[in-house]
């Protein structure tokens, strides 16, 4: 049995058989959209690509993470800032940016670095606009703030056969932050390059993907168990399942007076091995303070928590809920549903999760690295959730603001992801106070801190991945 994992990492500080999308002989825009909307693809190991991030991080190690370009050049008397320069078959799978100047444009040099291979577009038309895709594949968050201060996200894949260079023009002296995640396919992989003609041909597939991604994924259940009832302080409730199948729909509401989001825990064991042990808030994306939100695989609606991740197993699965609080809790509106799944010993992976809680996290003027997790073996990183209780007395972007830390991900010993800020990693921009809850399948900020008061100092954010999952063969840190 393959002991690989699909991992979701959380942190807190203070079915009727659905066939998989077949691996295409040639990678196309349509095949990538099909993969993005097939919730079961993320359960398979043996990817023929690796992920990489191009970003504006400061190469000297300081916090000036804007306008750091790979190169600046002049083409026909127009200054170009090079954001990405990739060779070999690949695909852009996530493009985030912030602080876009009026009139800024992008030039995509696809399979050649000259005018013949250049596709030029207004930046705001494709990142947050409707020119190529429309929402949610193209969206800006949070919609509660000015567009100039929002995070712009493009999830429409941009495949290329032999090379891609992305240049920014018309930004002037304005600061520019960006993160571009790519897949680097194995040499010899057949990829059909993105073009205007391909975009036109794929219009129906793009519209269908936007429709699918605009609602929470709901699997077709083959069986379902309810587990309503009270769990005494220190008590346990356990459910067992027989495979092959996928545990793919868990929902419940909980009532109790002693912090059930923190002290009630969810444990999952698949085929005899425990792979997940996290708090209720971490598992359902609510962190330490619940508020309504909807993502592709997670939602919270007026007390009802629902997780629809596909979690396959070969022979057996056990769901355990423990009550570590000092008072009884009551579970209601519960369901644990299975969907059909064909287990593949060579490729199928179990779902795993890791969460931690840390109080009194020290603040340092120059920052420091905080390790979230170190994973060994083969798997993919599927998502992250962060919940912050910010008790800084002097709160502001330059003092008590916690989000200047940059993500660093090592894949199989190589540091392939160096980002530009915590809020950038989670898809938004420019600090606190910009909650969004239903605008995106892969991003949510249902609770957004604003000032350091008891009522507005907490932030809860989640990010799940689709085409931008991070596969690893030996380890991920």
């Amino acid at each position: 049995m393959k002991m690989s994992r699909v991992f979701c990492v959380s942190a807190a500080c203070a079915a009727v058989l659905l066939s998989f999308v077949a691996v295409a002989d040639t990678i196309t825009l349509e095949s990538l959209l099909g993969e993005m909307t097939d919730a079961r693809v993320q359960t398979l190991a043996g990817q023929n690509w690796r992920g990489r991030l191009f970003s504006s991080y400061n190469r000297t190690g300081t916090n000036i993470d804007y306008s750091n370009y790979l190169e600046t050049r002049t083409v026909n008397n127009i200054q170009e800032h090079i954001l990405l320069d990739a060779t070999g078959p690949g695909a852009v799978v996530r493009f985030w940016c912030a602080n876009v100047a009026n009139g800024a444009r992008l030039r995509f040099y696809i399979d050649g670095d000259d005018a013949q291979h250049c596709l030029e577009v207004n930046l705001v038309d494709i990142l947050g606009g409707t020119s190529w895709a429309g929402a949610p594949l193209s969206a800006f968050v949070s919609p509660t703030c000015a567009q100039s201060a929002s995070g712009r996200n493009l999830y429409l894949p941009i495949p290329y056969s032999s090379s891609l260079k992305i240049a920014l023009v018309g930004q002037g002296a304005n600061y520019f932050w960006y993160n571009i995640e790519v897949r680097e396919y194995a040499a010899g992989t057949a990829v059909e390059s993105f073009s205007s003609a391909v975009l036109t041909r794929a219009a129906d597939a793009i519209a269908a993907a936007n429709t699918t991604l605009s609602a929470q994924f709901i699997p077709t259940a083959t069986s379902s168990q309810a587990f309503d009832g009270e769990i005494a302080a220190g008590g346990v409730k356990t459910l067992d399942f027989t495979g092959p199948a996928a545990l793919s729909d868990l929902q419940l509401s909980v009532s109790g007076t002693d912090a059930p989001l923190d002290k009630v825990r969810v444990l999952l064991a698949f085929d005899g091995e425990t792979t997940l042990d996290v708090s209720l808030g971490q598992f359902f994306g609510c962190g330490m303070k619940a508020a309504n939100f909807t993502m592709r695989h997670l939602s919270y609606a007026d007390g009802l928590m629902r997780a629809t991740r596909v979690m396959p197993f070969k022979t057996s699965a056990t769901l355990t809920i423990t009550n570590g609080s000092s008072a009884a809790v009551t579970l209601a509106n519960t369901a644990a549903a299975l969907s059909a799944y064909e287990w593949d010993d060579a490729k199928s992976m179990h779902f795993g999760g890791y969460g931690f809680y840390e109080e009194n996290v020290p603040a340092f003027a120059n920052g420091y690295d905080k390790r979230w997790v170190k994973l060994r073996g083969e798997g993919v990183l599927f998502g992250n959730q962060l919940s912050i209780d910010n008790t800084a007395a002097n709160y502001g972007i330059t003092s008590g603001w916690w989000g200047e830390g940059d993500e660093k991900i090592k894949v199989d010993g190589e540091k392939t992801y160096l980002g530009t800020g915590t809020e950038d990693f989670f898809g938004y921009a420019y600090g606190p106070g910009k909650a969004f809850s239903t605008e995106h399948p892969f991003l949510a900020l249902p609770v957004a801190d604003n000032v350091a008061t008891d009522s507005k100092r907490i932030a809860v954010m989640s990010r799940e991945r689709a085409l931008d999952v991070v596969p690893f063969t030996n380890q991920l840190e």
Side-chain angles (χ1 to χ4, degrees), residues 32-64:
L32 290 170
L33 290 170
E35 182 181 339
M36 176 185 288
T37 54
D38 186 340
R40 296 169 177 250
V41 171
Q42 315 306 336
T43 69
L44 301 177
Q47 307 291 352
N48 70 331
W49 54 271
R50 65 175 186 171
R52 182 174 296 276
L53 173 66
F54 291 82
S55 79
S56 56
Y57 80 95
N58 192 296
R59 276 67 172 170
T60 68
T62 65
N63 191 41
I64 309 302

PDB file of all heavy atoms in Angstrom, residues 32-64:
ATOM      1  N   LEU A  32      -6.283  21.021 -18.303  1.00  0.00           N
ATOM      2  CA  LEU A  32      -5.939  21.604 -17.009  1.00  0.00           C
ATOM      3  C   LEU A  32      -7.187  22.078 -16.272  1.00  0.00           C
ATOM      4  O   LEU A  32      -7.290  21.917 -15.048  1.00  0.00           O
ATOM      5  CB  LEU A  32      -4.949  22.750 -17.196  1.00  0.00           C
ATOM      6  CG  LEU A  32      -3.536  22.331 -17.621  1.00  0.00           C
ATOM      7  CD1 LEU A  32      -2.719  23.548 -18.019  1.00  0.00           C
ATOM      8  CD2 LEU A  32      -2.835  21.568 -16.504  1.00  0.00           C
ATOM      9  N   LEU A  33      -8.137  22.651 -16.985  1.00  0.00           N
ATOM     10  CA  LEU A  33      -9.393  23.046 -16.353  1.00  0.00           C
ATOM     11  C   LEU A  33     -10.142  21.821 -15.830  1.00  0.00           C
ATOM     12  O   LEU A  33     -10.735  21.858 -14.744  1.00  0.00           O
ATOM     13  CB  LEU A  33     -10.267  23.821 -17.337  1.00  0.00           C
ATOM     14  CG  LEU A  33      -9.774  25.214 -17.718  1.00  0.00           C
ATOM     15  CD1 LEU A  33     -10.591  25.768 -18.884  1.00  0.00           C
ATOM     16  CD2 LEU A  33      -9.841  26.169 -16.531  1.00  0.00           C
ATOM     17  N   GLY A  34     -10.095  20.729 -16.594  1.00  0.00           N
ATOM     18  CA  GLY A  34     -10.726  19.500 -16.135  1.00  0.00           C
ATOM     19  C   GLY A  34     -10.075  18.962 -14.877  1.00  0.00           C
ATOM     20  O   GLY A  34     -10.752  18.497 -13.950  1.00  0.00           O
ATOM     21  N   GLU A  35      -8.762  19.035 -14.827  1.00  0.00           N
ATOM     22  CA  GLU A  35      -8.040  18.597 -13.634  1.00  0.00           C
ATOM     23  C   GLU A  35      -8.371  19.489 -12.443  1.00  0.00           C
ATOM     24  O   GLU A  35      -8.532  19.014 -11.305  1.00  0.00           O
ATOM     25  CB  GLU A  35      -6.540  18.624 -13.919  1.00  0.00           C
ATOM     26  CG  GLU A  35      -5.684  18.135 -12.775  1.00  0.00           C
ATOM     27  CD  GLU A  35      -4.203  18.196 -13.084  1.00  0.00           C
ATOM     28  OE1 GLU A  35      -3.827  18.229 -14.278  1.00  0.00           O
ATOM     29  OE2 GLU A  35      -3.410  18.219 -12.128  1.00  0.00           O
ATOM     30  N   MET A  36      -8.479  20.778 -12.667  1.00  0.00           N
ATOM     31  CA  MET A  36      -8.765  21.719 -11.592  1.00  0.00           C
ATOM     32  C   MET A  36     -10.106  21.438 -10.930  1.00  0.00           C
ATOM     33  O   MET A  36     -10.258  21.586  -9.706  1.00  0.00           O
ATOM     34  CB  MET A  36      -8.747  23.155 -12.140  1.00  0.00           C
ATOM     35  CG  MET A  36      -9.120  24.217 -11.110  1.00  0.00           C
ATOM     36  SD  MET A  36      -9.219  25.873 -11.822  1.00  0.00           S
ATOM     37  CE  MET A  36      -7.499  26.222 -12.096  1.00  0.00           C
ATOM     38  N   THR A  37     -11.092  21.022 -11.701  1.00  0.00           N
ATOM     39  CA  THR A  37     -12.442  20.839 -11.183  1.00  0.00           C
ATOM     40  C   THR A  37     -12.736  19.414 -10.759  1.00  0.00           C
ATOM     41  O   THR A  37     -13.829  19.131 -10.279  1.00  0.00           O
ATOM     42  CB  THR A  37     -13.477  21.286 -12.229  1.00  0.00           C
ATOM     43  OG1 THR A  37     -13.232  20.601 -13.470  1.00  0.00           O
ATOM     44  CG2 THR A  37     -13.389  22.783 -12.469  1.00  0.00           C
ATOM     45  N   ASP A  38     -11.781  18.482 -10.928  1.00  0.00           N
ATOM     46  CA  ASP A  38     -11.955  17.099 -10.478  1.00  0.00           C
ATOM     47  C   ASP A  38     -11.357  16.972  -9.085  1.00  0.00           C
ATOM     48  O   ASP A  38     -10.130  16.929  -8.924  1.00  0.00           O
ATOM     49  CB  ASP A  38     -11.270  16.137 -11.451  1.00  0.00           C
ATOM     50  CG  ASP A  38     -11.555  14.685 -11.111  1.00  0.00           C
ATOM     51  OD1 ASP A  38     -11.939  14.397  -9.966  1.00  0.00           O
ATOM     52  OD2 ASP A  38     -11.384  13.825 -11.987  1.00  0.00           O
ATOM     53  N   ALA A  39     -12.197  16.903  -8.065  1.00  0.00           N
ATOM     54  CA  ALA A  39     -11.721  16.905  -6.680  1.00  0.00           C
ATOM     55  C   ALA A  39     -10.880  15.692  -6.346  1.00  0.00           C
ATOM     56  O   ALA A  39     -10.146  15.695  -5.355  1.00  0.00           O
ATOM     57  CB  ALA A  39     -12.923  16.978  -5.731  1.00  0.00           C
ATOM     58  N   ARG A  40     -10.933  14.647  -7.159  1.00  0.00           N
ATOM     59  CA  ARG A  40     -10.223  13.416  -6.843  1.00  0.00           C
ATOM     60  C   ARG A  40      -8.799  13.385  -7.382  1.00  0.00           C
ATOM     61  O   ARG A  40      -7.989  12.557  -6.946  1.00  0.00           O
ATOM     62  CB  ARG A  40     -11.008  12.224  -7.380  1.00  0.00           C
ATOM     63  CG  ARG A  40     -12.357  12.097  -6.703  1.00  0.00           C
ATOM     64  CD  ARG A  40     -13.280  11.095  -7.396  1.00  0.00           C
ATOM     65  NE  ARG A  40     -14.510  11.003  -6.635  1.00  0.00           N
ATOM     66  CZ  ARG A  40     -14.878   9.934  -5.929  1.00  0.00           C
ATOM     67  NH1 ARG A  40     -14.118   8.870  -5.896  1.00  0.00           N
ATOM     68  NH2 ARG A  40     -15.995   9.930  -5.241  1.00  0.00           N
ATOM     69  N   VAL A  41      -8.477  14.254  -8.294  1.00  0.00           N
ATOM     70  CA  VAL A  41      -7.133  14.245  -8.858  1.00  0.00           C
ATOM     71  C   VAL A  41      -6.083  14.481  -7.778  1.00  0.00           C
ATOM     72  O   VAL A  41      -4.983  13.915  -7.826  1.00  0.00           O
ATOM     73  CB  VAL A  41      -7.013  15.294  -9.984  1.00  0.00           C
ATOM     74  CG1 VAL A  41      -5.570  15.463 -10.427  1.00  0.00           C
ATOM     75  CG2 VAL A  41      -7.874  14.884 -11.172  1.00  0.00           C
ATOM     76  N   GLN A  42      -6.417  15.296  -6.767  1.00  0.00           N
ATOM     77  CA  GLN A  42      -5.433  15.617  -5.733  1.00  0.00           C
ATOM     78  C   GLN A  42      -5.083  14.416  -4.864  1.00  0.00           C
ATOM     79  O   GLN A  42      -4.149  14.492  -4.063  1.00  0.00           O
ATOM     80  CB  GLN A  42      -5.962  16.753  -4.841  1.00  0.00           C
ATOM     81  CG  GLN A  42      -6.595  17.924  -5.572  1.00  0.00           C
ATOM     82  CD  GLN A  42      -5.706  18.530  -6.640  1.00  0.00           C
ATOM     83  OE1 GLN A  42      -4.500  18.403  -6.574  1.00  0.00           O
ATOM     84  NE2 GLN A  42      -6.297  19.182  -7.624  1.00  0.00           N
ATOM     85  N   THR A  43      -5.804  13.314  -4.992  1.00  0.00           N
ATOM     86  CA  THR A  43      -5.509  12.131  -4.186  1.00  0.00           C
ATOM     87  C   THR A  43      -4.479  11.217  -4.834  1.00  0.00           C
ATOM     88  O   THR A  43      -4.153  10.173  -4.274  1.00  0.00           O
ATOM     89  CB  THR A  43      -6.793  11.312  -3.947  1.00  0.00           C
ATOM     90  OG1 THR A  43      -7.234  10.715  -5.188  1.00  0.00           O
ATOM     91  CG2 THR A  43      -7.905  12.184  -3.382  1.00  0.00           C
ATOM     92  N   LEU A  44      -3.950  11.594  -5.989  1.00  0.00           N
ATOM     93  CA  LEU A  44      -3.065  10.718  -6.757  1.00  0.00           C
ATOM     94  C   LEU A  44      -1.622  11.190  -6.705  1.00  0.00           C
ATOM     95  O   LEU A  44      -1.323  12.359  -6.909  1.00  0.00           O
ATOM     96  CB  LEU A  44      -3.517  10.645  -8.221  1.00  0.00           C
ATOM     97  CG  LEU A  44      -4.942  10.129  -8.463  1.00  0.00           C
ATOM     98  CD1 LEU A  44      -5.274  10.170  -9.939  1.00  0.00           C
ATOM     99  CD2 LEU A  44      -5.102   8.718  -7.911  1.00  0.00           C
ATOM    100  N   ALA A  45      -0.712  10.264  -6.445  1.00  0.00           N
ATOM    101  CA  ALA A  45       0.721  10.545  -6.452  1.00  0.00           C
ATOM    102  C   ALA A  45       1.278  10.326  -7.849  1.00  0.00           C
ATOM    103  O   ALA A  45       0.557  10.018  -8.798  1.00  0.00           O
ATOM    104  CB  ALA A  45       1.424   9.638  -5.439  1.00  0.00           C
ATOM    105  N   GLY A  46       2.598  10.477  -7.974  1.00  0.00           N
ATOM    106  CA  GLY A  46       3.259  10.200  -9.246  1.00  0.00           C
ATOM    107  C   GLY A  46       3.107  11.298 -10.269  1.00  0.00           C
ATOM    108  O   GLY A  46       2.985  11.036 -11.468  1.00  0.00           O
ATOM    109  N   GLN A  47       3.108  12.571  -9.829  1.00  0.00           N
ATOM    110  CA  GLN A  47       2.996  13.688 -10.769  1.00  0.00           C
ATOM    111  C   GLN A  47       4.255  13.795 -11.619  1.00  0.00           C
ATOM    112  O   GLN A  47       5.359  13.507 -11.150  1.00  0.00           O
ATOM    113  CB  GLN A  47       2.770  14.998 -10.000  1.00  0.00           C
ATOM    114  CG  GLN A  47       1.612  14.968  -9.018  1.00  0.00           C
ATOM    115  CD  GLN A  47       0.264  14.892  -9.704  1.00  0.00           C
ATOM    116  OE1 GLN A  47       0.160  15.015 -10.919  1.00  0.00           O
ATOM    117  NE2 GLN A  47      -0.784  14.681  -8.934  1.00  0.00           N
ATOM    118  N   ASN A  48       4.090  14.213 -12.870  1.00  0.00           N
ATOM    119  CA  ASN A  48       5.250  14.371 -13.753  1.00  0.00           C
ATOM    120  C   ASN A  48       5.681  15.833 -13.846  1.00  0.00           C
ATOM    121  O   ASN A  48       6.163  16.283 -14.874  1.00  0.00           O
ATOM    122  CB  ASN A  48       4.932  13.831 -15.155  1.00  0.00           C
ATOM    123  CG  ASN A  48       3.928  14.689 -15.903  1.00  0.00           C
ATOM    124  OD1 ASN A  48       3.085  15.342 -15.276  1.00  0.00           O
ATOM    125  ND2 ASN A  48       3.998  14.687 -17.224  1.00  0.00           N
ATOM    126  N   TRP A  49       5.499  16.554 -12.768  1.00  0.00           N
ATOM    127  CA  TRP A  49       5.880  17.965 -12.747  1.00  0.00           C
ATOM    128  C   TRP A  49       6.278  18.346 -11.327  1.00  0.00           C
ATOM    129  O   TRP A  49       5.981  17.647 -10.365  1.00  0.00           O
ATOM    130  CB  TRP A  49       4.725  18.855 -13.225  1.00  0.00           C
ATOM    131  CG  TRP A  49       3.437  18.640 -12.489  1.00  0.00           C
ATOM    132  CD1 TRP A  49       2.440  17.756 -12.788  1.00  0.00           C
ATOM    133  CD2 TRP A  49       3.004  19.317 -11.300  1.00  0.00           C
ATOM    134  NE1 TRP A  49       1.417  17.841 -11.875  1.00  0.00           N
ATOM    135  CE2 TRP A  49       1.746  18.785 -10.943  1.00  0.00           C
ATOM    136  CE3 TRP A  49       3.553  20.319 -10.508  1.00  0.00           C
ATOM    137  CZ2 TRP A  49       1.021  19.220  -9.844  1.00  0.00           C
ATOM    138  CZ3 TRP A  49       2.841  20.755  -9.393  1.00  0.00           C
ATOM    139  CH2 TRP A  49       1.596  20.211  -9.083  1.00  0.00           C
ATOM    140  N   ARG A  50       6.945  19.477 -11.217  1.00  0.00           N
ATOM    141  CA  ARG A  50       7.249  20.049  -9.915  1.00  0.00           C
ATOM    142  C   ARG A  50       6.801  21.504  -9.930  1.00  0.00           C
ATOM    143  O   ARG A  50       6.689  22.139 -10.984  1.00  0.00           O
ATOM    144  CB  ARG A  50       8.732  19.951  -9.585  1.00  0.00           C
ATOM    145  CG  ARG A  50       9.630  20.772 -10.492  1.00  0.00           C
ATOM    146  CD  ARG A  50      11.072  20.707 -10.010  1.00  0.00           C
ATOM    147  NE  ARG A  50      11.938  21.601 -10.793  1.00  0.00           N
ATOM    148  CZ  ARG A  50      13.199  21.871 -10.480  1.00  0.00           C
ATOM    149  NH1 ARG A  50      13.743  21.301  -9.419  1.00  0.00           N
ATOM    150  NH2 ARG A  50      13.908  22.694 -11.217  1.00  0.00           N
ATOM    151  N   GLY A  51       6.545  22.038  -8.746  1.00  0.00           N
ATOM    152  CA  GLY A  51       6.085  23.410  -8.642  1.00  0.00           C
ATOM    153  C   GLY A  51       7.228  24.376  -8.372  1.00  0.00           C
ATOM    154  O   GLY A  51       8.259  24.011  -7.810  1.00  0.00           O
ATOM    155  N   ARG A  52       7.026  25.635  -8.777  1.00  0.00           N
ATOM    156  CA  ARG A  52       8.015  26.678  -8.517  1.00  0.00           C
ATOM    157  C   ARG A  52       7.303  28.024  -8.437  1.00  0.00           C
ATOM    158  O   ARG A  52       6.296  28.252  -9.115  1.00  0.00           O
ATOM    159  CB  ARG A  52       9.083  26.709  -9.612  1.00  0.00           C
ATOM    160  CG  ARG A  52      10.189  27.755  -9.375  1.00  0.00           C
ATOM    161  CD  ARG A  52      11.297  27.630 -10.408  1.00  0.00           C
ATOM    162  NE  ARG A  52      11.981  26.359 -10.304  1.00  0.00           N
ATOM    163  CZ  ARG A  52      12.987  26.103  -9.456  1.00  0.00           C
ATOM    164  NH1 ARG A  52      13.389  27.031  -8.622  1.00  0.00           N
ATOM    165  NH2 ARG A  52      13.561  24.925  -9.452  1.00  0.00           N
ATOM    166  N   LEU A  53       7.833  28.899  -7.587  1.00  0.00           N
ATOM    167  CA  LEU A  53       7.267  30.240  -7.423  1.00  0.00           C
ATOM    168  C   LEU A  53       8.246  31.286  -7.914  1.00  0.00           C
ATOM    169  O   LEU A  53       9.410  31.296  -7.523  1.00  0.00           O
ATOM    170  CB  LEU A  53       6.946  30.488  -5.941  1.00  0.00           C
ATOM    171  CG  LEU A  53       6.492  31.902  -5.565  1.00  0.00           C
ATOM    172  CD1 LEU A  53       5.139  32.218  -6.190  1.00  0.00           C
ATOM    173  CD2 LEU A  53       6.434  32.077  -4.046  1.00  0.00           C
ATOM    174  N   PHE A  54       7.764  32.171  -8.783  1.00  0.00           N
ATOM    175  CA  PHE A  54       8.481  33.389  -9.173  1.00  0.00           C
ATOM    176  C   PHE A  54       7.816  34.539  -8.422  1.00  0.00           C
ATOM    177  O   PHE A  54       6.585  34.694  -8.477  1.00  0.00           O
ATOM    178  CB  PHE A  54       8.390  33.635 -10.673  1.00  0.00           C
ATOM    179  CG  PHE A  54       9.151  32.636 -11.506  1.00  0.00           C
ATOM    180  CD1 PHE A  54       8.602  31.397 -11.819  1.00  0.00           C
ATOM    181  CD2 PHE A  54      10.416  32.931 -11.993  1.00  0.00           C
ATOM    182  CE1 PHE A  54       9.282  30.482 -12.587  1.00  0.00           C
ATOM    183  CE2 PHE A  54      11.118  32.020 -12.767  1.00  0.00           C
ATOM    184  CZ  PHE A  54      10.559  30.792 -13.062  1.00  0.00           C
ATOM    185  N   SER A  55       8.603  35.360  -7.735  1.00  0.00           N
ATOM    186  CA  SER A  55       7.993  36.424  -6.949  1.00  0.00           C
ATOM    187  C   SER A  55       8.920  37.624  -6.858  1.00  0.00           C
ATOM    188  O   SER A  55      10.095  37.568  -7.258  1.00  0.00           O
ATOM    189  CB  SER A  55       7.660  35.921  -5.541  1.00  0.00           C
ATOM    190  OG  SER A  55       8.810  35.898  -4.716  1.00  0.00           O
ATOM    191  N   SER A  56       8.389  38.701  -6.280  1.00  0.00           N
ATOM    192  CA  SER A  56       9.149  39.944  -6.125  1.00  0.00           C
ATOM    193  C   SER A  56       9.854  40.006  -4.774  1.00  0.00           C
ATOM    194  O   SER A  56      10.149  41.100  -4.291  1.00  0.00           O
ATOM    195  CB  SER A  56       8.218  41.151  -6.287  1.00  0.00           C
ATOM    196  OG  SER A  56       7.143  41.094  -5.372  1.00  0.00           O
ATOM    197  N   TYR A  57      10.141  38.854  -4.168  1.00  0.00           N
ATOM    198  CA  TYR A  57      10.807  38.875  -2.873  1.00  0.00           C
ATOM    199  C   TYR A  57      12.163  39.563  -2.982  1.00  0.00           C
ATOM    200  O   TYR A  57      12.815  39.547  -4.032  1.00  0.00           O
ATOM    201  CB  TYR A  57      10.979  37.453  -2.327  1.00  0.00           C
ATOM    202  CG  TYR A  57      12.143  36.680  -2.897  1.00  0.00           C
ATOM    203  CD1 TYR A  57      13.371  36.650  -2.238  1.00  0.00           C
ATOM    204  CD2 TYR A  57      12.022  35.973  -4.093  1.00  0.00           C
ATOM    205  CE1 TYR A  57      14.448  35.953  -2.759  1.00  0.00           C
ATOM    206  CE2 TYR A  57      13.095  35.270  -4.623  1.00  0.00           C
ATOM    207  CZ  TYR A  57      14.309  35.260  -3.948  1.00  0.00           C
ATOM    208  OH  TYR A  57      15.368  34.578  -4.468  1.00  0.00           O
ATOM    209  N   ASN A  58      12.586  40.163  -1.879  1.00  0.00           N
ATOM    210  CA  ASN A  58      13.859  40.884  -1.869  1.00  0.00           C
ATOM    211  C   ASN A  58      15.018  39.917  -1.740  1.00  0.00           C
ATOM    212  O   ASN A  58      15.116  39.175  -0.759  1.00  0.00           O
ATOM    213  CB  ASN A  58      13.881  41.888  -0.708  1.00  0.00           C
ATOM    214  CG  ASN A  58      15.048  42.854  -0.815  1.00  0.00           C
ATOM    215  OD1 ASN A  58      16.202  42.455  -0.749  1.00  0.00           O
ATOM    216  ND2 ASN A  58      14.729  44.126  -0.988  1.00  0.00           N
ATOM    217  N   ARG A  59      15.881  39.895  -2.727  1.00  0.00           N
ATOM    218  CA  ARG A  59      16.982  38.932  -2.762  1.00  0.00           C
ATOM    219  C   ARG A  59      18.033  39.193  -1.697  1.00  0.00           C
ATOM    220  O   ARG A  59      18.859  38.322  -1.410  1.00  0.00           O
ATOM    221  CB  ARG A  59      17.649  38.931  -4.128  1.00  0.00           C
ATOM    222  CG  ARG A  59      16.974  38.045  -5.183  1.00  0.00           C
ATOM    223  CD  ARG A  59      15.602  38.540  -5.598  1.00  0.00           C
ATOM    224  NE  ARG A  59      15.052  37.794  -6.721  1.00  0.00           N
ATOM    225  CZ  ARG A  59      13.803  37.906  -7.129  1.00  0.00           C
ATOM    226  NH1 ARG A  59      12.959  38.720  -6.511  1.00  0.00           N
ATOM    227  NH2 ARG A  59      13.373  37.191  -8.152  1.00  0.00           N
ATOM    228  N   THR A  60      18.025  40.378  -1.058  1.00  0.00           N
ATOM    229  CA  THR A  60      19.020  40.688  -0.030  1.00  0.00           C
ATOM    230  C   THR A  60      18.556  40.281   1.357  1.00  0.00           C
ATOM    231  O   THR A  60      19.307  40.409   2.322  1.00  0.00           O
ATOM    232  CB  THR A  60      19.338  42.188  -0.023  1.00  0.00           C
ATOM    233  OG1 THR A  60      18.186  42.927   0.424  1.00  0.00           O
ATOM    234  CG2 THR A  60      19.751  42.668  -1.403  1.00  0.00           C
ATOM    235  N   GLY A  61      17.302  39.815   1.479  1.00  0.00           N
ATOM    236  CA  GLY A  61      16.802  39.367   2.760  1.00  0.00           C
ATOM    237  C   GLY A  61      16.048  40.406   3.553  1.00  0.00           C
ATOM    238  O   GLY A  61      15.534  40.106   4.633  1.00  0.00           O
ATOM    239  N   THR A  62      15.954  41.636   3.074  1.00  0.00           N
ATOM    240  CA  THR A  62      15.177  42.660   3.772  1.00  0.00           C
ATOM    241  C   THR A  62      13.709  42.537   3.387  1.00  0.00           C
ATOM    242  O   THR A  62      13.328  41.697   2.568  1.00  0.00           O
ATOM    243  CB  THR A  62      15.688  44.070   3.433  1.00  0.00           C
ATOM    244  OG1 THR A  62      15.462  44.324   2.039  1.00  0.00           O
ATOM    245  CG2 THR A  62      17.169  44.189   3.737  1.00  0.00           C
ATOM    246  N   ASN A  63      12.882  43.398   3.959  1.00  0.00           N
ATOM    247  CA  ASN A  63      11.443  43.279   3.764  1.00  0.00           C
ATOM    248  C   ASN A  63      10.925  44.121   2.597  1.00  0.00           C
ATOM    249  O   ASN A  63       9.723  44.325   2.462  1.00  0.00           O
ATOM    250  CB  ASN A  63      10.710  43.681   5.061  1.00  0.00           C
ATOM    251  CG  ASN A  63       9.244  43.318   5.017  1.00  0.00           C
ATOM    252  OD1 ASN A  63       8.868  42.259   4.541  1.00  0.00           O
ATOM    253  ND2 ASN A  63       8.406  44.225   5.496  1.00  0.00           N
ATOM    254  N   ILE A  64      11.786  44.623   1.757  1.00  0.00           N
ATOM    255  CA  ILE A  64      11.345  45.413   0.595  1.00  0.00           C
ATOM    256  C   ILE A  64      10.997  44.432  -0.521  1.00  0.00           C
ATOM    257  O   ILE A  64      11.761  44.203  -1.465  1.00  0.00           O
ATOM    258  CB  ILE A  64      12.440  46.406   0.153  1.00  0.00           C
ATOM    259  CG1 ILE A  64      12.926  47.218   1.351  1.00  0.00           C
ATOM    260  CG2 ILE A  64      11.897  47.331  -0.928  1.00  0.00           C
ATOM    261  CD1 ILE A  64      11.832  48.005   2.051  1.00  0.00           C
TER     262      ILE A  64
END
